[in-house]
Amino acid sequence: MEIQELILKKYGKFSDHHITFRPGINIIYGGNETGKTTIHSFIRAMFFGLSRGRGRAAKMDEYQIRQPWDSPGAFLGSMRIAENGDVYRIDRCFDRSAKPLSLVCETRIVESQHPQEDLDALLGGISEAAFVNSVFIPQASCETDEALAEELRRYMVNSGSSMDSEIDVSRALQSLRKRKRQYEQQKKKEDAALEEEISKKQGRADAVRSELERLRAQAEACQSGRTGRRGGAGRGGTADRYQEAGYGGAAGGYQEAGYGGAAGEYREAGHNSRAGEAALPGMEEPPERAGNEEKGVSPAMRALLTAMLFIAGALTMGGIFLAEGEALRIFLGVFTVIFWAMALGVYALFRPRGDEKKEEDSRVEDGPECPPELLKEIWNREEEYQKLQDDLEILYQQHVRIDGADTEITALTLAIDRICEISDGICRTNGGRLNEIASGILAEITLGRYNRIVIDDASEVRIHTPSRVLGLNQVSGGTMQQIYFALRMAAGELFMEKTTLPVVLDETFAMYDDRRLEATLRWLKNSGRQVILFTCQNREREILKRL
């Protein structure tokens, strides 16, 4: 490709300014502040457009710097290029125009319907980053930036695999890393919300558990006066009955059961409904029997009934001795047995379970009864604790599902590592070509002083001499510029296999001595490329005259 003409209609200090070029080396000579760098910037803008920065960066980006001086409302230009025998005109409007780009083939008088795609094809698919890090060298600076390493990686991987320029390893890695960050951020956010909810539920469960322990201890204390005495009667102490009911006292069943949650202890006791309340502490007997005891016969009435039945038995027994007939004596004997049996039955039925029971009841009445309200409160706390445990189990299951995102993150990490491993291997294999081309260029422009440079795996440049290996910081500033120039030109040859773009240089040789400058210009002339050189010195022109 060759640039034939630049038309700076409204760009920076220029207005309707035309510049024509020819094949080979073109020198744009001018003093300071004559607009050389503006023209240099215009070439890049016509190929790739002007990007606008944001925030503070917008104040010093190319878009703001190259605004027209005399007519801010118009910001546009044109360029004519020749490629494969056809002449194309590129028209760009850099402001917010409805038609920012147009491409016309003037040879065939055809306007492109897809100007951006067709222009990319004319440029051989080279990206702006590759262009500005190879053949487009800014004012007095040959250094490259990190974008060159990425572009070289993409090129080497493509050339080492399918030669498909559409494969962009850097973009693929960027996409995978972006997805990985999204998964990590989403997981972190969900984890934080879930852990906060779990913390709240767990805190409430701990509080309910402490309250439950306190209530159980209180219930146990209310029944402590009955514990030992009930055990002697064969009914078990209060703690035993409390544990059997599924509640376990604070000092007994609760600790022995190793209370791990309301559901486990409660279900093990067989309590699945409110029916269990009948066996809770303070309710030793079913309501029917308790009611009979409350309505029991007084001791005086019991003694009276017993005495009357005993006397009736004695009278019938006396009648046996007075009766004359055998049948009558038998009849009276039967009634005697019946009356005495009834007397014993009345005495046994209405007595308070013997003397031991009387003694126990007398002691029980000295201790406090367990209030029904307390038992109900224990029941409510049990159910609340059970619900909290169920909620926590659901939350923990959700946490396990969130942990499943780790699988995606791990898969993405493995993919990224694998791509990097493969691309690094390809780069090591194909990197020799870049080193070979750059070494040949450097040897020619340094007149054989340095004939081999190598870019290692860390993208560090090493200069090999017959006696030792040097780093960039061990050579002069001029030699460093020449090394970067050689690397740029070598990268340009690798990138531009489909088309050859012009070399655009802005005061690139300011630090070259005359001998190396002449060698560099000779290499450029022999390369067969179109070269556009911006300079404020005459020595380039004088050297070219000799060549």
Side-chain angles (χ1 to χ4, degrees), residues 4 29 70 72 78 81 176 199 238 240 266 289 311 341 355 361 390 418 427 436 459-460 498 510:
Q4 292 187 337
Y29 172 81
D70 54 354
S78 299
I81 60 175
L176 290 174
S199 178
T238 301
D240 297 331
Y266 192 67
R289 185 166 181 178
I311 292 171
D355 296 336
D361 287 344
D390 292 342
R418 184 58 177 162
C427 288
E436 181 182 353
S459 299
E460 296 290 337
K498 296 181 179 180

Side-chain angles (χ1 to χ4, degrees), residues 233-253:
R235 296 172 52 84
T238 301
D240 297 331
R241 296 195 316 281
Y242 199 59
Q243 183 176 356
E244 290 170 5
Y247 288 90

Side-chain angles (χ1 to χ4, degrees), residues 135 137 485 489 501-505 524 529-533:
V135 296
I137 303 180
F485 176 83
M489 295 302 105
L501 297 181
V503 179
V504 187
L505 311 172
L524 286 170
R529 302 180 181 183
Q530 183 186 44
V531 179
I532 301 174
L533 172 61

Side-chain angles (χ1 to χ4, degrees), residues 197-212 259-263 267 380-397:
E197 184 67 17
I198 289 175
S199 178
K200 290 180 180 179
K201 293 283 186 183
Q202 189 62 58
R204 177 57 185 165
D206 292 342
V208 171
R209 178 175 175 175
S210 298
E211 178 68 10
L212 190 57
Y259 186 81
R267 285 193 292 266
N380 292 337
R381 288 293 180 266
E382 287 275 1
E383 289 200 336
E384 183 179 2
Y385 192 83
Q386 171 62 40
K387 185 177 184 305
L388 289 169
Q389 291 295 327
D390 292 342
D391 292 344
L392 284 170
E393 183 177 356
I394 294 173
L395 291 174
Y396 283 126
Q397 290 175 353

Side-chain angles (χ1 to χ4, degrees), residues 169-185:
V169 175
S170 299
R171 186 171 297 176
L173 288 173
Q174 182 180 4
S175 176
L176 290 174
R177 287 171 179 144
K178 181 179 179 181
R179 288 179 59 190
K180 180 181 176 182
R181 286 194 299 270
Q182 289 174 345
Y183 274 112
E184 290 173 339
Q185 292 171 358

Side-chain angles (χ1 to χ4, degrees), residues 135 147 216-217 251 374 403 445 498:
V135 296
R216 286 182 164 179
L374 178 59
D403 287 342
I445 66 178
K498 296 181 179 180

Side-chain angles (χ1 to χ4, degrees), residues 79-99:
M79 172 193 284
R80 282 189 173 87
I81 60 175
E83 174 70 9
N84 295 328
D86 291 326
V87 176
Y88 298 88
R89 188 183 76 248
I90 304 170
D91 298 317
R92 280 194 184 271
C93 185
F94 301 106
D95 59 13
R96 299 178 180 177
S97 171
K99 191 176 182 181

Side-chain angles (χ1 to χ4, degrees), residues 413-524:
T413 302
L414 290 174
I416 292 169
D417 293 342
R418 184 58 177 162
I419 290 175
C420 290
E421 180 183 350
I422 294 173
S423 62
D424 287 344
I426 295 174
C427 288
R428 284 192 294 270
T429 302
N430 296 338
R433 186 180 176 193
L434 174 69
N435 295 333
E436 181 182 353
I437 297 173
S439 297
I441 297 172
L442 183 64
E444 186 170 345
I445 66 178
T446 60
L447 303 174
R449 175 67 181 273
Y450 303 105
N451 55 19
R452 187 184 176 202
I453 57 176
V454 175
I455 302 178
D456 59 22
D457 294 340
S459 299
E460 296 290 337
V461 178
R462 296 286 182 262
I463 305 101
H464 291 249
T465 69
S467 59
R468 57 177 177 163
V469 179
L470 304 175
L472 280 177
N473 59 340
Q474 295 177 288
V475 298
S476 67
T479 301
M480 185 185 299
Q481 294 293 314
Q482 292 149 21
I483 291 171
Y484 276 120
F485 176 83
L487 287 172
R488 280 177 171 270
M489 295 302 105
E493 288 193 20
L494 294 179
F495 293 148
M496 300 170 195
E497 293 183 339
K498 296 181 179 180
T499 187
T500 301
L501 297 181
V503 179
V504 187
L505 311 172
D506 186 9
E507 296 287 2
T508 303
F509 308 128
M511 298 182 68
Y512 286 39
D513 61 33
D514 291 343
R515 294 177 66 243
R516 293 189 179 181
L517 174 58
E518 182 176 346
T520 303
L521 291 175
R522 183 181 292 106
W523 180 86
L524 286 170

